[in-house]
Amino acid sequence: MTVARTSTAAGAATDRPIRRRPKNRKAQIANVAAEAFSERGYHAVGVDEIAATIGISGPALYRHYPNKYALFVHAATTTADALQATADGALDGVAEREPGDRLEHLIAALVANSIENRKIAGLYRWEGRYLEAEDRKRIRAVFVHVTQCVAAPLREIRPELTAVDATTLGASTLSVIGSISAHRTTLATRRLDTLLKSACGSILNATLPPAVPNAGRAAVGTVRGLAVTSKRELLINEAVKIFDRHGYHDSSIEEIGAAAGINASSVYRHFPSKADLLAAVFYRASDRLAVATSAALSTATDPEDALRKLAESYLELSFGNPEVLSVYFAEIGNLPKNERTNLRNVQRLHVEEWVHLVTAVRSELSAPEARFLVHAALGLVLDIGRLVHFDTRDESRARLHTLMTAVLLGH
């Protein structure tokens, strides 16, 4: 350690260590920022807060990043680049092996990377909307590349697969691996590693129903019948669309009111704040999900049939209202703490319905293991739903249903 000599007021010399800036300070800042942005969202995190976590001042942080957006971009791209480096590195070491060995080695590396970086693995997934177009395009290209890293050896193993099928299975595999970033269920690392690899195997071995051409795609979230006339319901319906389009923080009460044909002052008669309106969106979605779940369970003949019916019901509800699904995953952190806690408790109860059924079908699984698989299956609806633009046709939903049940049932 380097020591400096200083003198006290009385003239006596003292030794004090010289504090040197760590060589990896920039990376340290990016990692702390990625964790904060992933946990609470881009807008909810301040630069001074990130600096304080590291033990430096705000001005010291600005020596490395000119503003919060630059820090956000660096955190997001660093996370994505690490994923690509993991995939490329895994394949580089086994280039001469059989495709099955290459794929197994790649999946093992991706699973290990996701477990190690669980706190930040979902950063782009949830906060990517706040990236500017070019930055978003660059990171999306990374995920396309890694998806093809999975799809290429898979097509060698399964030559009957079309390019679309192989890409869908590759993207689904990444979704399952990344699903652990969306919840806080805990499991021993070794068991989680085994569980994720097994779930990936179920996806990669799945036989998908035939894909349908893009031409003539059904309208996304098509609304049939008469529109609601209740001002409160109109505000909820328009709010979720605007929150999905712009993000919660970039949406205004004025814009939501205008979309519903109501002036801003009238909006406040129904909802005291924008946060209350966001909470109403989530509670309405929870009510619909509870009704759909009860209906699905009421016609089931056994636990496996119940899981299949729940998956169908969840798909129908999600594809009919895809904005709600996206907004829930991306914006729940913007609710007041008490509302956030209440809604997460509601979600937890819904997940436990699935967990109970999974453990009834697969007695070898513990409840936490089943919980990981349920979150993975539900995450597929958002990730692959986005990939197919929430195509509402039965054929498109059937493919996703196959993927969900493969994860849940293990075959």
Side-chain angles (χ1 to χ4, degrees), residues 214-254:
N214 288 336
R217 172 178 292 163
V220 174
T222 302
V223 178
R224 295 178 176 86
L226 299 177
V228 297
T229 57
S230 162
K231 297 297 185 185
R232 180 182 175 85
E233 292 302 314
L234 275 172
L235 287 167
I236 291 174
N237 290 345
E238 295 301 329
V240 70
K241 297 173 188 175
I242 292 171
F243 290 150
D244 180 52
R245 191 180 310 133
H246 303 309
Y248 174 77
H249 285 275
D250 291 334
S251 301
S252 69
I253 287 291
E254 289 76 14

Side-chain angles (χ1 to χ4, degrees), residues 29 47 50-51 54 56-67 71:
I29 294 170
V47 168
I50 295 169
I54 300 168
I56 62 176
S57 66
L61 187 149
Y62 285 121
R63 296 193 194 110
H64 301 278
Y65 300 96
N67 52 48
L71 175 53

Side-chain angles (χ1 to χ4, degrees), residues 116-358:
E116 182 180 356
N117 297 289
R118 184 177 180 182
K119 291 183 179 180
I120 61 176
L123 179 57
Y124 174 75
R125 195 182 189 192
W126 314 128
E127 299 300 304
R129 70 174 67 199
Y130 298 114
L131 290 168
E132 294 175 2
E134 283 303 311
D135 295 320
R136 195 182 312 120
K137 181 179 178 182
R138 182 196 163 194
I139 294 178
R140 188 180 293 126
V142 169
F143 285 91
V144 170
H145 172 80
V146 177
T147 297
Q148 292 308 313
C149 285
V150 177
L154 180 60
R155 289 196 78 186
E156 293 183 60
I157 299 167
R158 300 182 59 187
E160 80 280 6
L161 292 176
T162 65
V164 170
D165 285 355
T167 297
T168 300
L169 294 177
S172 300
T173 301
L174 295 185
S175 175
V176 167
I177 293 171
S179 66
I180 63 174
S181 68
H183 60 97
R184 299 178 182 177
T185 304
T186 58
L187 198 62
T189 298
R190 182 176 297 179
R191 184 56 191 141
L192 178 56
D193 180 86
T194 300
L195 185 71
L196 287 176
K197 288 176 183 175
S198 175
C200 289
S202 298
I203 288 288
L204 295 169
N205 287 313
T207 300
L208 295 172
V212 290
N214 288 336
R217 172 178 292 163
V220 174
T222 302
V223 178
R224 295 178 176 86
L226 299 177
V228 297
T229 57
S230 162
K231 297 297 185 185
R232 180 182 175 85
E233 292 302 314
L234 275 172
L235 287 167
I236 291 174
N237 290 345
E238 295 301 329
V240 70
K241 297 173 188 175
I242 292 171
F243 290 150
D244 180 52
R245 191 180 310 133
H246 303 309
Y248 174 77
H249 285 275
D250 291 334
S251 301
S252 69
I253 287 291
E254 289 76 14
E255 183 180 9
I256 294 168
I262 304 171
N263 61 43
S265 60
S266 295
V267 174
Y268 290 111
R269 295 176 189 170
H270 300 277
F271 301 99
S273 68
K274 188 168 68 169
D276 288 302
L277 183 47
L278 179 64
V281 167
F282 292 152
Y283 281 118
R284 179 66 73 253
S286 296
D287 291 343
R288 290 172 179 167
L289 183 58
V291 170
T293 298
S294 295
L297 292 175
S298 68
T299 61
T301 57
D302 57 47
E304 180 171 335
D305 183 49
L307 279 173
R308 293 184 183 279
K309 283 184 163 64
L310 277 181
E312 288 175 3
S313 175
Y314 188 80
L315 279 167
E316 183 175 359
L317 196 61
S318 299
F319 272 52
N321 303 274
E323 302 93 349
V324 176
L325 192 63
S326 297
V327 170
Y328 180 85
F329 278 104
E331 308 293 359
I332 191 169
N334 289 308
L335 289 174
K337 185 177 180 180
N338 63 318
E339 296 286 16
R340 188 165 63 247
T341 299
N342 289 340
L343 279 160
R344 282 188 168 145
N345 285 337
V346 170
Q347 184 205 30
R348 195 170 294 114
L349 290 173
H350 176 248
V351 167
E352 290 309 305
E353 289 281 5
W354 296 63
V355 169
H356 170 73
L357 295 169
V358 171

